[in-house]
Amino acid sequence: MIKEIKFTDKALKQITNLLSKKDKGSFFRIAIKGGGCSGFQYEFTFDQSKNEDDFNYENILIDKTSADLLKGSEVDYVSELIGEQFKITNPQTKSSCGCGVSFSL
């Protein structure tokens, strides 16, 4: 399932860089949670353990439900005038808020 989610070289490089500053054995987790002004929001965290339903790609964990909602997406890392952030282009979203963190399906 995680192979249906693309990661740009910039995103993978940034994730590797962030993990190098964490304890050995840490994972970078991407999840979709309820909330935000549009109904759902992306969450980027670090985790020390892997759950049974997690997909693992180069120490990036995505739970099954989030992976289903991210199917066909591209994860990128962008630098803009307002700062740097991970950006997910998700073809399943119907709309998103102005800041791009929250979305609806």
Side-chain angles (χ1 to χ4, degrees):
M1 171 60 77
I2 203 164
K3 291 181 180 180
E4 297 177 23
I5 302 167
K6 290 176 50 180
F7 292 87
T8 65
D9 290 339
K10 286 169 49 173
L12 290 174
K13 183 177 178 179
Q14 181 63 15
I15 291 168
T16 300
N17 181 43
L18 292 170
L19 284 172
S20 73
K21 298 174 184 175
K22 295 293 182 184
D23 293 334
K24 187 172 176 78
S26 293
F27 297 97
F28 185 81
R29 182 176 291 282
I30 301 174
I32 294 178
K33 303 289 183 187
C37 55
S38 295
F40 294 97
Q41 59 189 4
Y42 300 110
E43 182 178 76
F44 304 96
T45 59
F46 296 99
D47 206 331
Q48 289 295 320
S49 61
K50 187 168 76 164
N51 298 325
E52 196 172 297
D53 72 336
D54 284 339
F55 295 100
N56 183 358
Y57 174 75
E58 296 191 24
N59 294 322
I60 302 166
L61 301 179
I62 303 176
D63 65 88
K64 183 179 178 348
T65 301
S66 295
D68 288 340
L69 296 173
L70 286 166
K71 186 176 178 182
S73 295
E74 179 180 83
V75 180
D76 193 9
Y77 188 76
V78 296
S79 299
E80 300 172 337
L81 288 175
I82 58 172
E84 298 179 0
Q85 66 182 359
F86 286 99
K87 181 178 179 182
I88 296 179
T89 304
N90 187 339
Q92 297 186 64
T93 60
K94 300 284 187 245
S95 64
S96 64
C97 65
C99 65
V101 175
S102 180
F103 63 95
S104 66
L105 298 173

